[in-house]
DNA sequence: CATGAATGAGAGTTCATTCAT
DNA sequence: AATGAATGAACTCTCATTCAT
């Protein structure tokens, strides 16, 4: 019956930290860690600086909490990829498609990438966690699939230690959007991009493969 | 008898701005624009803050001058690529090889990439220049080569609006090195990386291309 | 039993800006705009620099707010002069007496005069406001009274565009006090000064007027 | 034979300090003592900061030297007034006329007045000298003349300790020009101003003197 | 919980002054 | 005599953080 209009005190209270994390995301993305003022984050939620400090001890802790908060969807994606079936080609392109959606097209994940690149020096733990939770599992998954495809004769034998190359178009398009968002580089159409990507990945550029 | 010890006034003066730009590079790379203190830059050159302001009006102007200073080598590369000859394949792989050396392996260019990603919001002009001077010419060159190869029957017909995909491994490996430098991701061996890259690019992943 | 010791938060807060304005007055009077340090103003109120900036955005804004704050009493005087009655002579001398008290004898107004002279170049708006709010109304009032006195035959006809001359002794004694305060020029006794001033103004210097 | 075009080295050298003092005058008038940069003074003479310090030890010494330099014409005026003859009225109005020209109409003397008012706190010696060299002699002269006129029956007996009142219109018009120069207060025509001033001074305001 | 006044440790920037050339 | 690179102290202003209310 009720709409989402009035929140009880308790609900309001439970919401606060989330609101602050959302606001922190926007401000840190806009200005980076050092360039962001705690007060700007507070203003976005219509509270005062003091309130932010009720929920987060320091600006650094807030930054880290925000990163963790926005990493959740990506975590969930990794679980999904385990459930795939079909040929190695099918599963590989499915995974790459999902990654494209999650990394290149999802604004929070994309901007998280920016922050990881920009603030890595200041937050080494963040980098380690990012590696262990995102990069490593993805690479492992892609590696495994390639080896499977090679074993089954579906793929040619390629040196698996360079499987970044396979995922590269996704990170590249993400980074280009981060740099030029809305400016000079057109945002690609997803279907067309993936078609071109998979065609080149699977068949190569040459008219007559060597 | 001579050593590099004493410089004349004039030599010292000619050197100072370069020294400052070099120091600025290191500090801005380490801490980002907002996180860098002008005094730390000065300390690196063993001068006082005031001296930095003798040569550069503001921290922002210093940042921009530093970016321009370190963009020169990349500019020169673009000229080189015009002089290539051979088959489309040869020229394409030559260009990609040169780009790999200049972007992924050259520390200044690599770190410039970090700064472009990290500080883009604060320096929109920087982004525009970066696009016009680097991204656009590279993409144009690759596009032209592909079309040539297609015309000569050397390449399959691929949608040229996605030619970022062709260059993607270079930017991706650059970004991964930026993020994980020396930490968890091994720095690839250049020859092996390029061999794997070009093999996949030219021949594709499938054992039996469609 | 209460003393002026403890103020509530709210009282303290209401007081702060006034305290700062008072302190700013003293420091700006002592050292001029450029010569005054915000920290000295803060020290006078036993707060830190930062606190001054809680209430006033910049040193310039603080200066202007201070000028406005100390202009209030003078503003009120102008209202009083409207309520006078009696002969033109009575009313003219009454006004001049009030002006003497307010400009020459009231330290804040006197020092405001110094700042208007000293900082006029830097604060052109201040000068305009000063003119429109102080100089113009006074001159208008004196002009009107003289014309009235002339019309009624009480005064000789004098060129009203030079009515500054009538008020001149007030500004002159003010400026001399500003320059030599306590040093070489004795502070005049009010009654004697005004008697001499009005005697000369009304009757002139000549034993046998022309 | 030569025009004023080329100067010998020696002439050039002798000129430098004068040029610097002239430039210092303009800058100190524009920005006050604290607000003036030594470099701005140097720029006006097309030399560098260092050159200013060749001739003047510190900014303060330069300020004082500038004040002294521009006080010379006024000094000379005082000598002239000793040579006057005629009735007390004639001599009084002659002196006041000369003072008007020298104080109100001569820009350097007028601006010196501004600096004396504005920077008095910082340069107490300047104030003392100003008093002893300018104020005191003028007042003494006027006092003497009045007493003479009273003795001869030409003037009414007025209290000589307030003879500032007699000179007041000159300082007042000077100060008003300083404050509002070119802005809202019209610059008075000299002849008309003096006629009104002397008429009022000599004959008073009343139609029928008491 | 929430506030926001107050702090204080800097940060960027300026500028009078020095001194080797 | 003149320069101008360099200094360093001081200045304005900022902002993460605290805490009494």
């Amino acid at each position: 019956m009720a709409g989402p209009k009035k929140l009880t005190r308790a609900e309001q209270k439970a919401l606060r930290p989330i609101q602050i994390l959302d606001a922190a995301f926007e401000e840190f993305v806009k200005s980076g860690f050092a360039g962001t003022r705690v007060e700007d984050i507070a203003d976005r939620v219509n509270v005062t600086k003091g309130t932010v400090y009720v929920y987060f001890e320091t600006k650094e802790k807030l930054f880290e909490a925000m990163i963790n908060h926005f990493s959740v969807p990506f975590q969930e994606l990794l679980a999904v990829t385990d459930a795939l079936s079909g040929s190695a080609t099918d599963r590989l392109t499915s995974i790459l498609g999902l990654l494209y959606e999650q990394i290149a097209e999802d604004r929070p994940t994309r901007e998280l990438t920016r922050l990881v690149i920009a603030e890595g020096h200041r937050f080494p733990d963040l980098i380690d966690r990012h590696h262990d939770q995102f990069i490593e599992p993805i690479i492992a998954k892609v590696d495994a699939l390639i080896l499977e495809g090679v074993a089954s004769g579906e793929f040619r034998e390629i040196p698996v230690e360079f499987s970044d190359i396979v995922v590269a178009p996704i990170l590249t398009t993400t980074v280009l959007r981060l740099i030029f968002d809305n400016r000079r580089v057109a945002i690609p159409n997803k279907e067309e991009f993936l078609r071109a990507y998979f065609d080149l990945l699977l068949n190569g550029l040459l008219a007559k493969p060597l």
Side-chain angles (χ1 to χ4, degrees), chain A:
Chain A
M1 277 117 354
K5 310 246 176 111
K6 288 262 169 162
L7 297 174
T8 66
R9 278 262 179 109
E11 285 167 336
Q12 183 60 272
K13 192 196 298 189
L15 220 52
R16 264 292 123 84
I18 307 289
Q19 294 176 318
I20 292 172
L21 290 169
D22 288 345
F25 171 79
E26 297 298 342
E27 292 295 326
F28 284 130
V29 159
K30 188 180 5 142
S31 314
F33 179 79
T36 291
R37 293 150 21 101
V38 172
E39 189 156 24
D40 290 339
I41 295 172
D43 286 351
R44 257 181 201 269
V45 194
N46 290 317
V47 296
T48 58
K49 280 186 291 187
T51 305
V52 174
Y53 282 90
V54 169
Y55 294 95
F56 302 94
E57 277 178 69
T58 64
K59 192 181 164 187
E60 297 213 354
K61 294 251 175 76
L62 170 56
F63 183 82
E64 285 167 357
M66 179 276 282
I67 295 282
N68 289 334
H69 179 65
F70 282 92
S71 297
V72 171
F74 195 89
Q75 290 289 71
E76 291 165 353
L77 169 74
L78 290 174
V80 171
T81 63
D82 287 328
L84 296 171
S85 63
S87 69
T89 305
D90 286 349
R91 278 177 291 152
L92 181 60
T93 54
S94 291
I95 287 182
L96 296 176
L98 289 168
L99 284 176
Y100 179 82
E101 282 167 16
Q102 184 59 48
I103 302 179
E105 295 206 312
D106 179 65
R107 180 167 165 265
T109 309
R110 205 162 62 225
E111 294 293 357
L112 243 36
T113 305
R114 185 204 300 280
L115 290 171
V116 165
I117 296 169
E119 310 293 347
H121 281 312
R122 193 189 292 260
F123 297 93
D125 293 358
L126 169 64
I127 300 301
D128 288 349
R129 230 175 325 130
H130 185 78
H131 181 272
D132 295 348
Q133 297 184 349
F134 303 120
I135 306 301
E136 216 290 316
I138 291 173
I139 297 297
K141 192 128 272 168
V142 170
D143 283 1
L145 257 174
I146 290 172
L147 289 174
E148 235 186 288
V150 170
S152 71
E154 201 173 338
F155 296 154
R156 293 191 305 119
E157 200 153 338
I158 65 159
V160 102
E161 66 268 33
F162 299 119
S163 63
D164 313 344
I165 296 172
V166 171
V167 219
I170 295 170
L171 185 55
T172 291
T173 207
T174 302
V175 167
L176 290 177
R177 276 185 73 171
L178 280 177
I179 300 178
F180 299 109
D181 216 17
N182 301 329
R183 295 173 73 86
R184 314 230 167 173
V185 170
I187 296 171
N189 171 277
K190 179 183 153 192
E191 277 69 36
E192 293 174 11
F193 178 84
L194 290 181
R195 195 179 316 128
Y197 173 19
F198 297 155
D199 176 43
L200 198 63
L201 173 63
L202 297 172
N203 299 308
L205 188 56
L206 293 183
K208 303 176 182 173
L210 301 177

